[in-house]
mmCIF file of all heavy atoms in Angstrom:
data_model
loop_
_atom_site.group_PDB
_atom_site.id
_atom_site.type_symbol
_atom_site.label_atom_id
_atom_site.label_comp_id
_atom_site.label_asym_id
_atom_site.label_seq_id
_atom_site.Cartn_x
_atom_site.Cartn_y
_atom_site.Cartn_z
ATOM 1 N N ARG A 225 28.330 -10.704 -4.310
ATOM 2 C CA ARG A 225 29.052 -10.125 -3.172
ATOM 3 C C ARG A 225 28.651 -10.847 -1.877
ATOM 4 O O ARG A 225 29.500 -11.109 -1.022
ATOM 5 C CB ARG A 225 28.756 -8.628 -3.078
ATOM 6 C CG ARG A 225 29.511 -7.772 -4.098
ATOM 7 C CD ARG A 225 29.087 -6.319 -3.973
ATOM 8 N NE ARG A 225 30.104 -5.408 -4.447
ATOM 9 C CZ ARG A 225 30.037 -4.748 -5.596
ATOM 10 N NH1 ARG A 225 29.011 -4.924 -6.400
ATOM 11 N NH2 ARG A 225 31.009 -3.904 -5.937
ATOM 12 N N TRP A 226 27.367 -11.126 -1.722
ATOM 13 C CA TRP A 226 26.928 -11.869 -0.541
ATOM 14 C C TRP A 226 27.491 -13.285 -0.589
ATOM 15 O O TRP A 226 27.923 -13.824 0.427
ATOM 16 C CB TRP A 226 25.399 -11.916 -0.492
ATOM 17 C CG TRP A 226 24.875 -12.621 0.731
ATOM 18 C CD1 TRP A 226 24.600 -12.059 1.943
ATOM 19 C CD2 TRP A 226 24.605 -14.022 0.864
ATOM 20 N NE1 TRP A 226 24.172 -13.017 2.831
ATOM 21 C CE2 TRP A 226 24.171 -14.240 2.192
ATOM 22 C CE3 TRP A 226 24.699 -15.113 0.007
ATOM 23 C CZ2 TRP A 226 23.826 -15.496 2.676
ATOM 24 C CZ3 TRP A 226 24.352 -16.376 0.479
ATOM 25 C CH2 TRP A 226 23.919 -16.554 1.789
ATOM 26 N N GLN A 227 27.516 -13.894 -1.756
ATOM 27 C CA GLN A 227 27.952 -15.278 -1.887
ATOM 28 C C GLN A 227 29.402 -15.478 -1.472
ATOM 29 O O GLN A 227 29.718 -16.379 -0.689
ATOM 30 C CB GLN A 227 27.750 -15.759 -3.337
ATOM 31 C CG GLN A 227 26.297 -16.017 -3.699
ATOM 32 C CD GLN A 227 26.139 -16.430 -5.153
ATOM 33 O OE1 GLN A 227 26.795 -15.895 -6.051
ATOM 34 N NE2 GLN A 227 25.256 -17.372 -5.413
ATOM 35 N N PHE A 228 30.305 -14.638 -1.983
ATOM 36 C CA PHE A 228 31.715 -14.925 -1.693
ATOM 37 C C PHE A 228 32.072 -14.630 -0.243
ATOM 38 O O PHE A 228 32.988 -15.233 0.308
ATOM 39 C CB PHE A 228 32.660 -14.216 -2.680
ATOM 40 C CG PHE A 228 32.817 -12.728 -2.511
ATOM 41 C CD1 PHE A 228 33.518 -12.182 -1.444
ATOM 42 C CD2 PHE A 228 32.320 -11.856 -3.467
ATOM 43 C CE1 PHE A 228 33.682 -10.817 -1.312
ATOM 44 C CE2 PHE A 228 32.485 -10.482 -3.342
ATOM 45 C CZ PHE A 228 33.165 -9.963 -2.258
ATOM 46 N N ILE A 229 31.341 -13.748 0.412
ATOM 47 C CA ILE A 229 31.612 -13.480 1.831
ATOM 48 C C ILE A 229 31.079 -14.614 2.706
ATOM 49 O O ILE A 229 31.679 -14.957 3.731
ATOM 50 C CB ILE A 229 30.997 -12.127 2.257
ATOM 51 C CG1 ILE A 229 31.876 -10.983 1.759
ATOM 52 C CG2 ILE A 229 30.827 -12.042 3.774
ATOM 53 C CD1 ILE A 229 31.387 -9.605 2.145
ATOM 54 N N HIS A 230 29.977 -15.239 2.312
ATOM 55 C CA HIS A 230 29.331 -16.244 3.150
ATOM 56 C C HIS A 230 29.705 -17.683 2.789
ATOM 57 O O HIS A 230 29.024 -18.628 3.177
ATOM 58 C CB HIS A 230 27.807 -16.067 3.097
ATOM 59 C CG HIS A 230 27.339 -14.840 3.823
ATOM 60 N ND1 HIS A 230 27.402 -13.585 3.288
ATOM 61 C CD2 HIS A 230 26.819 -14.680 5.072
ATOM 62 C CE1 HIS A 230 26.936 -12.700 4.157
ATOM 63 N NE2 HIS A 230 26.576 -13.337 5.245
ATOM 64 N N GLY A 231 30.785 -17.852 2.059
ATOM 65 C CA GLY A 231 31.289 -19.192 1.808
ATOM 66 C C GLY A 231 30.817 -19.840 0.525
ATOM 67 O O GLY A 231 31.015 -21.033 0.323
ATOM 68 N N TYR A 232 30.193 -19.040 -0.352
ATOM 69 C CA TYR A 232 29.733 -19.565 -1.634
ATOM 70 C C TYR A 232 30.585 -18.994 -2.767
ATOM 71 O O TYR A 232 30.078 -18.530 -3.786
ATOM 72 C CB TYR A 232 28.263 -19.216 -1.859
ATOM 73 C CG TYR A 232 27.335 -19.713 -0.782
ATOM 74 C CD1 TYR A 232 26.838 -18.855 0.195
ATOM 75 C CD2 TYR A 232 26.932 -21.050 -0.747
ATOM 76 C CE1 TYR A 232 25.979 -19.310 1.188
ATOM 77 C CE2 TYR A 232 26.076 -21.508 0.242
ATOM 78 C CZ TYR A 232 25.600 -20.637 1.204
ATOM 79 O OH TYR A 232 24.749 -21.088 2.180
ATOM 80 N N GLY A 233 31.890 -19.025 -2.597
ATOM 81 C CA GLY A 233 32.801 -18.435 -3.575
ATOM 82 C C GLY A 233 32.694 -19.064 -4.948
ATOM 83 O O GLY A 233 32.748 -18.365 -5.965
ATOM 84 N N ASP A 234 32.547 -20.378 -5.004
ATOM 85 C CA ASP A 234 32.456 -21.065 -6.301
ATOM 86 C C ASP A 234 31.187 -20.631 -7.045
ATOM 87 O O ASP A 234 31.206 -20.414 -8.261
ATOM 88 C CB ASP A 234 32.448 -22.579 -6.107
ATOM 89 C CG ASP A 234 33.788 -23.115 -5.622
ATOM 90 O OD1 ASP A 234 34.804 -22.374 -5.765
ATOM 91 O OD2 ASP A 234 33.824 -24.245 -5.094
ATOM 92 N N GLU A 235 30.071 -20.522 -6.313
ATOM 93 C CA GLU A 235 28.825 -20.096 -6.936
ATOM 94 C C GLU A 235 28.939 -18.665 -7.465
ATOM 95 O O GLU A 235 28.449 -18.344 -8.550
ATOM 96 C CB GLU A 235 27.670 -20.183 -5.940
ATOM 97 C CG GLU A 235 27.235 -21.600 -5.604
ATOM 98 C CD GLU A 235 28.033 -22.197 -4.446
ATOM 99 O OE1 GLU A 235 29.124 -21.671 -4.146
ATOM 100 O OE2 GLU A 235 27.543 -23.181 -3.867
ATOM 101 N N ALA A 236 29.578 -17.789 -6.687
ATOM 102 C CA ALA A 236 29.777 -16.406 -7.111
ATOM 103 C C ALA A 236 30.613 -16.347 -8.388
ATOM 104 O O ALA A 236 30.297 -15.598 -9.325
ATOM 105 C CB ALA A 236 30.446 -15.600 -5.997
ATOM 106 N N GLU A 237 31.689 -17.140 -8.420
ATOM 107 C CA GLU A 237 32.561 -17.164 -9.589
ATOM 108 C C GLU A 237 31.801 -17.656 -10.826
ATOM 109 O O GLU A 237 31.906 -17.072 -11.916
ATOM 110 C CB GLU A 237 33.749 -18.076 -9.309
ATOM 111 C CG GLU A 237 34.804 -18.115 -10.410
ATOM 112 C CD GLU A 237 35.554 -16.802 -10.539
ATOM 113 O OE1 GLU A 237 35.617 -16.046 -9.549
ATOM 114 O OE2 GLU A 237 36.076 -16.535 -11.641
ATOM 115 N N THR A 238 31.019 -18.715 -10.656
ATOM 116 C CA THR A 238 30.246 -19.265 -11.775
ATOM 117 C C THR A 238 29.226 -18.260 -12.287
ATOM 118 O O THR A 238 29.055 -18.074 -13.506
ATOM 119 C CB THR A 238 29.519 -20.552 -11.325
ATOM 120 O OG1 THR A 238 30.489 -21.515 -10.904
ATOM 121 C CG2 THR A 238 28.686 -21.130 -12.453
ATOM 122 N N LEU A 239 28.530 -17.602 -11.370
ATOM 123 C CA LEU A 239 27.511 -16.631 -11.749
ATOM 124 C C LEU A 239 28.130 -15.470 -12.532
ATOM 125 O O LEU A 239 27.645 -15.096 -13.609
ATOM 126 C CB LEU A 239 26.808 -16.112 -10.496
ATOM 127 C CG LEU A 239 25.480 -15.351 -10.668
ATOM 128 C CD1 LEU A 239 24.695 -15.398 -9.373
ATOM 129 C CD2 LEU A 239 25.710 -13.903 -11.070
ATOM 130 N N VAL A 240 29.213 -14.890 -12.010
ATOM 131 C CA VAL A 240 29.831 -13.728 -12.655
ATOM 132 C C VAL A 240 30.422 -14.103 -14.020
ATOM 133 O O VAL A 240 30.302 -13.350 -14.988
ATOM 134 C CB VAL A 240 30.898 -13.097 -11.738
ATOM 135 C CG1 VAL A 240 31.633 -11.966 -12.466
ATOM 136 C CG2 VAL A 240 30.247 -12.552 -10.471
ATOM 137 N N LYS A 241 31.033 -15.280 -14.117
ATOM 138 C CA LYS A 241 31.570 -15.725 -15.411
ATOM 139 C C LYS A 241 30.453 -15.836 -16.449
ATOM 140 O O LYS A 241 30.620 -15.444 -17.607
ATOM 141 C CB LYS A 241 32.268 -17.078 -15.261
ATOM 142 C CG LYS A 241 33.686 -16.999 -14.706
ATOM 143 C CD LYS A 241 34.316 -18.393 -14.678
ATOM 144 C CE LYS A 241 35.758 -18.314 -14.168
ATOM 145 N NZ LYS A 241 36.366 -19.676 -14.098
ATOM 146 N N GLY A 242 29.330 -16.378 -16.029
ATOM 147 C CA GLY A 242 28.199 -16.512 -16.942
ATOM 148 C C GLY A 242 27.684 -15.165 -17.412
ATOM 149 O O GLY A 242 27.369 -14.977 -18.589
ATOM 150 N N VAL A 243 27.594 -14.200 -16.486
ATOM 151 C CA VAL A 243 27.138 -12.854 -16.834
ATOM 152 C C VAL A 243 28.128 -12.199 -17.790
ATOM 153 O O VAL A 243 27.737 -11.560 -18.782
ATOM 154 C CB VAL A 243 26.954 -11.997 -15.564
ATOM 155 C CG1 VAL A 243 26.664 -10.543 -15.936
ATOM 156 C CG2 VAL A 243 25.838 -12.548 -14.692
ATOM 157 N N GLU A 244 29.418 -12.354 -17.519
ATOM 158 C CA GLU A 244 30.442 -11.770 -18.396
ATOM 159 C C GLU A 244 30.340 -12.332 -19.811
ATOM 160 O O GLU A 244 30.457 -11.589 -20.798
ATOM 161 C CB GLU A 244 31.833 -12.030 -17.809
ATOM 162 C CG GLU A 244 32.106 -11.219 -16.553
ATOM 163 C CD GLU A 244 33.393 -11.625 -15.849
ATOM 164 O OE1 GLU A 244 33.788 -12.807 -15.977
ATOM 165 O OE2 GLU A 244 33.999 -10.764 -15.173
ATOM 166 N N ARG A 245 30.107 -13.636 -19.926
ATOM 167 C CA ARG A 245 29.969 -14.236 -21.254
ATOM 168 C C ARG A 245 28.740 -13.682 -21.981
ATOM 169 O O ARG A 245 28.797 -13.377 -23.182
ATOM 170 C CB ARG A 245 29.859 -15.761 -21.130
ATOM 171 C CG ARG A 245 31.186 -16.461 -20.831
ATOM 172 C CD ARG A 245 31.069 -17.962 -21.075
ATOM 173 N NE ARG A 245 30.080 -18.601 -20.211
ATOM 174 C CZ ARG A 245 30.355 -19.137 -19.018
ATOM 175 N NH1 ARG A 245 31.616 -19.112 -18.566
ATOM 176 N NH2 ARG A 245 29.416 -19.704 -18.295
#
Side-chain angles (χ1 to χ4, degrees):
R225 283 177 155 106
W226 182 89
Q227 286 178 320
F228 73 72
I229 282 181
H230 289 80
Y232 303 102
D234 291 342
E235 288 88 341
E237 184 68 24
T238 300
L239 195 158
V240 175
K241 279 183 178 178
V243 172
E244 289 171 332
R245 284 195 298 269

